Amino acid sequence: MSLAALRRAARETVSGLPREFWWLWTSTLVNRLGAFVSTFMALYLTLDRGYSATYAGLVASLYGLGGVVSSIGSGVLTDRIGRRPTLLIAQSSTAASVALLGFMHDPVAIAAVACLVGAASNASRPAVQAMMADIVRPEDRVRAFSLNYWAINLGFAISSMAAGFIAEVSYRAGFLLEAGMTAVCAVVVFLRLPESRPTVATDNGKGAAAAPVGLGTVLRDGRFMSVVGLSFLVALVFQQGSVGLPVAMGEAGFTPADYGTAIAVNGFLIVALQIPVTRLIEHRDAKRLLVVSSILAGYGFGLTAFAGSVGVFALTVCVWTLGEMINAPTQTGLVVRLSPVQGRGRYQGMYTLSWAVAALVAPLMSGFVIDRFGAEWLWGMCAVVGTAAAVGYGALMRALPASGPATAETPAAVEPEVSAA
């Protein structure tokens, strides 16, 4: 491809998206550039503080538990008080709790504050996704979600490399730096992002207001909850990249550096290929994309059973990473498509919950299976779970209508609430 063609492709990828989206994108990137704590938390507890690996695992689980609890709560807040206030509360709370964690010494206090950090840091996700759905046109949403996902991985790749150097100087500096960068995100939201929560107009002009959406509404939405269940299965598979894979490689005699080399392929491919992949998938059938991504995830990890060298492990990472790049923007777009406008926060919160619960279950599942049956069984299970998710998506979306719920927005039905910064 010529340089001119590359420039044209890049211009088409970023064109047509509103200015508010790019401020939200910038906030996401800055937030992930400062994501140091999740990278070195285990090393901080075991090497710097001298705690056991068991205690470090407990703290990681409590961090995940905080995310599970906040998924639903932040979704409700997103709908009730708005996207912008929820983002400000989440990011301000994250900055304060991360800074506080750096000064904790008592093991109980560390565990408690880590749970708060997990809750606060996860609380912004439903608000970000709902705001993105509010401000981006339906035909551009897959591209917007993909660009946001790319920013997350670009920021995390850079912060992961920087975390090691920062930890050599001072772990506390890492906590404070993350707190400072999260505070910068809150400032960006406060100064540059207006409230985007839509006001749903009457359906027929005779005063028939749209039906209110509560958590019960979400739970009774069988089709959407099926998507949440399938999302959990896919997330359970993808979690093995950071949970089951390092344990299995360690038991097979590979070093941490070997695992680092293999898993680095994941971040590199996402940063290098997410935007070109998005150009290929953004106008294709969502059902086929979700089926294909589930198969790539399941069998990508399934092929790990046959890996005997770092190079082959890296090849399997390439397979499931491709599935990840297809799945992330497509599935998020499907969630928006199935969500009524006045309930986007709650629906996004429930979707976020599927990933948070998977992050809790995956370590327990992988450890049990590897200890009892061996790593080959874990990879075989990943193939089975990926196949089950693919079949589920195919069956679920067979009768999916061309548009979203009856309360989905139209240009005449939604008027964004805009509040000055």
Side-chain angles (χ1 to χ4, degrees), residues 26 46 201 212 259 262 270 358 360 376:
T26 300
T46 54
Y259 166 71
I270 291 175
L360 273 181
E376 292 79 8

Side-chain angles (χ1 to χ4, degrees), residues 271-292:
V271 171
L273 299 179
Q274 183 67 62
I275 293 177
V277 166
T278 300
R279 287 179 55 80
L280 293 175
I281 69 172
E282 64 176 322
H283 298 302
R284 297 185 183 273
D285 181 40
K287 181 180 82 171
R288 292 182 180 179
L289 293 174
L290 289 170
V291 168
V292 168

Side-chain angles (χ1 to χ4, degrees), residues 21-38:
F21 166 79
W22 290 111
W23 282 116
L24 190 59
W25 184 90
T26 300
S27 175
T28 298
L29 179 61
V30 172
N31 184 274
R32 299 310 298 171
L33 284 171
F36 304 115
V37 173
S38 60

